[in-house]
């Protein structure tokens, strides 16, 4: 038991710190999973198979996986709004954090200073691990158990309210979106139309053949960046030479056909 505790306790502390310090939500969720698995191992070392199974199946296998599924569904790159839609949200959060901190201090203090009968004695008095938990939940702590269920329902409703995004700006119509897009093109100095197509010569429709401007230079927007980095892009001189060679070949074929006729 002692060896298992000194192995799992540092991992649980690291998992808790990772849950708070990691910037990416997926890494925080994985840190929480590490903490939950280590807690389940501690339950198993204390001869509590029911709590071990509940910790793995319900918390790690269901709740945490649901959290990861929501992250993948919503997206980890979704920007968070810093606009407070509920008045006094920060004050209420601070009061709730202080209350939770006080509850943890009194709970840990009572567990450290108060007498402990041990898990073996509690199981022997109740007739087993599952029976002991059932006797405590639906006997001595039934009122607290019901309050906890109400608290979970309240937390679910609160999560739905907080997740409901309230629009802070009026919704733009099609005309407003088009005006904003044209303004962005004007600020960037780019043409709002489509890019010029490659392969404008009749002799080739290859992506390696860019479009030419009226002065004979290459239109930069029609140049493939991948082929340019590979050095496979044709320049204007090569295009003119290719065009002249094509015209000469066409004239030679036409002359040979005239001779045959």
């Amino acid at each position: 038991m002692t060896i298992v505790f000194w192995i799992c306790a540092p991992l649980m502390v690291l998992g808790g710190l990772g849950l708070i310090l990691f910037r990416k939500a997926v890494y925080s969720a994985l840190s929480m999973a590490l903490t939950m698995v280590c807690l389940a191992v501690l339950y198993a070392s204390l001869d509590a198979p029911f709590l071990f199974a509940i910790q793995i199946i319900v918390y790690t296998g269901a709740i945490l996986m649901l959290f990861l599924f929501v992250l993948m569904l919503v997206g980890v790159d979704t920007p968070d709004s810093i606009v407070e839609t509920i008045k006094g949200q920060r004050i209420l959060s601070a009061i709730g954090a202080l209350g939770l901190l006080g509850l943890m201090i009194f709970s840990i203090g009572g567990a450290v200073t108060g007498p402990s009968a041990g898990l073996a004695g509690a199981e022997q008095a109740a007739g087993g691990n599952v029976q002991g938990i059932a006797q405590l939940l639906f006997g001595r702590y039934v009122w607290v158990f019901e309050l906890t269920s109400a608290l979970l329902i309240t937390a679910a409703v609160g999560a739905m309210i907080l997740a409901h995004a309230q629009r802070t700006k009026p919704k733009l119509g099609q005309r407003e979106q088009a005006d904003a897009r044209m303004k962005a093109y004007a600020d960037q100095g780019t043409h709002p139309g489509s890019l010029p197509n490659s392969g404008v010569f009749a002799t080739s429709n290859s992506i390696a053949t860019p479009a030419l401007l009226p002065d004979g230079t290459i239109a930069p927007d029609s140049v493939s960046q991948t082929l340019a980095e590979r050095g496979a892009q044709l320049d204007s001189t090569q295009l003119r030479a290719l065009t002249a060679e094509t015209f000469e070949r066409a004239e030679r074929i036409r002359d040979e056909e005239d001779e045959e006729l």
Side-chain angles (χ1 to χ4, degrees), residues 34-226:
L34 175 63
T35 304
M36 290 183 176
V37 171
C38 292
L39 183 60
V41 173
L42 288 180
Y43 286 148
S45 65
L46 290 172
D47 295 331
F50 179 74
L51 292 179
F52 167 76
I54 290 299
Q55 184 68 31
I56 293 294
I57 298 173
V58 177
Y59 290 97
T60 308
I63 298 178
L64 186 60
M65 294 303 108
L66 178 63
F67 179 70
L68 289 175
F69 176 76
V70 171
L71 282 180
M72 291 184 292
L73 184 65
V74 176
V76 295
D77 296 331
T78 303
D80 295 331
S81 176
I82 59 176
V83 179
E84 293 188 11
T85 57
I86 300 178
K87 295 182 179 180
Q89 181 177 353
R90 296 185 180 181
I91 299 176
L92 294 176
S93 300
I95 296 175
L98 291 176
L100 181 60
L101 180 61
L103 179 61
M104 293 178 62
I105 292 175
F106 285 111
S107 300
I108 296 175
V112 173
T113 58
S116 176
L119 185 62
E123 288 184 359
Q124 186 176 3
N129 181 262
V130 179
Q131 292 80 358
I133 294 175
Q135 182 178 355
L136 290 175
L137 284 181
F138 301 103
R140 180 179 179 182
Y141 298 108
V142 61
W143 178 244
V144 179
F145 180 72
E146 295 296 333
L147 288 179
T148 303
S149 62
L151 180 62
L152 292 175
I153 295 176
T154 306
V157 175
M160 293 174 60
I161 294 175
L162 293 176
H164 179 67
Q166 295 184 2
R167 188 176 298 277
T168 57
K169 297 181 180 180
K171 184 178 180 181
L172 298 179
Q174 184 175 4
R175 184 178 181 82
E176 288 78 9
Q177 293 180 2
D179 293 340
R181 191 177 299 111
M182 295 299 295
K183 186 177 182 300
Y185 281 124
D187 294 339
Q188 297 174 2
T190 57
H191 192 272
S194 60
L195 298 177
N197 297 324
S198 58
V200 296
F201 290 94
T203 58
S204 174
N205 59 355
S206 172
I207 192 64
T209 307
L212 295 183
L213 298 174
D215 58 355
T217 59
I218 294 177
D221 294 337
S222 66
V223 176
S224 173
Q225 297 297 327
T226 303

Side-chain angles (χ1 to χ4, degrees), residues 9-36 64 67-68 71:
L11 294 177
M12 293 173 63
V13 173
L14 292 177
L17 292 176
L19 173 63
I20 300 173
L21 299 178
F22 276 129
R23 292 182 177 272
K24 294 185 177 181
V26 177
Y27 293 165
S28 298
L30 294 178
S31 300
M32 186 187 297
L34 175 63
T35 304
M36 290 183 176
L64 186 60
F67 179 70
L68 289 175
L71 282 180

